[in-house]
Amino acid sequence: VIGVVIGKTDVRSFPDRKNIGSERYTFSFTVRDSPTYFINVNSWGREEYIRSLSESFRVGDCVIIENPLVQSKEAEREEKFNPVTPSSYKLLLSENHSVVKTSSCYEMDTKLLSLLHLPVKDPQDYYSLGDIIANGQSLDGRVLNVLAAVMSVS
């Protein structure tokens, strides 16, 4: 899989159920290879592997993912913690089998860079801030998608 990284989580750890007293580490990222398609990638493993992998690329980098495990995603559970994707699959990276390499987007395909700035949601699935203010009471408790742009940072 070749694509541009459009999102990435921080490294987290969880108690290992199989080895009481030890921890498993994880992080995930989202890769996009066309205007329409993007997929979540999860990685679990030892702390050294996960931290090294996470530090090897950033959002906006182009990556080549070799030998991932393709799994069906459990939509309800998966999409609580990861971006909603159009695919019914996710990729799982394994320390022993998978490789992630970074590469220049210019070397691979300059079209990949333009994908970084495309929204991942349907353009009809957004609320404007005006709509939210006007209909605030009726929207209470709902999850909303808001499309915004940063005008300045100070």
Side-chain angles (χ1 to χ4, degrees), residues 85-102:
T85 64
S87 174
S88 54
Y89 300 98
K90 65 181 178 180
L91 302 179
L92 184 64
L93 300 180
S94 156
E95 183 173 1
N96 296 326
H97 299 94
S98 309
V99 176
V100 177
K101 301 175 187 172
T102 57

Side-chain angles (χ1 to χ4, degrees), residues 22-104:
S22 63
E23 306 228 326
R24 289 184 70 201
Y25 287 77
T26 185
F27 86 102
S28 59
F29 58 101
T30 305
V31 175
R32 186 176 216 162
D33 67 355
S34 75
T36 311
Y37 295 104
F38 47 98
I39 192 165
N40 290 320
V41 184
N42 297 317
S43 185
W44 287 85
R46 298 176 307 114
E47 181 178 13
E48 301 79 22
Y49 167 68
I50 295 299
R51 288 202 187 279
S52 173
L53 182 59
S54 175
E55 292 167 4
S56 70
F57 61 88
R58 302 183 315 240
V59 170
D61 286 348
C62 289
V63 293
I64 301 167
I65 303 170
E66 297 177 357
N67 211 22
L69 178 63
V70 178
Q71 291 184 324
S72 295
K73 70 180 179 184
E74 300 165 43
E76 194 129 325
R77 205 175 109 223
E78 302 282 338
E79 293 174 352
K80 271 187 192 173
F81 306 106
N82 292 305
V84 177
T85 64
S87 174
S88 54
Y89 300 98
K90 65 181 178 180
L91 302 179
L92 184 64
L93 300 180
S94 156
E95 183 173 1
N96 296 326
H97 299 94
S98 309
V99 176
V100 177
K101 301 175 187 172
T102 57
S103 182
S104 164

Side-chain angles (χ1 to χ4, degrees), residues 14-24 46:
F14 295 92
D16 189 340
R17 289 186 221 153
K18 293 179 183 172
N19 299 319
I20 305 302
S22 63
E23 306 228 326
R24 289 184 70 201
R46 298 176 307 114

Side-chain angles (χ1 to χ4, degrees), residues 5-16:
V5 177
I6 62 170
K8 184 177 164 190
T9 67
D10 292 329
V11 172
R12 298 181 315 256
S13 66
F14 295 92
D16 189 340

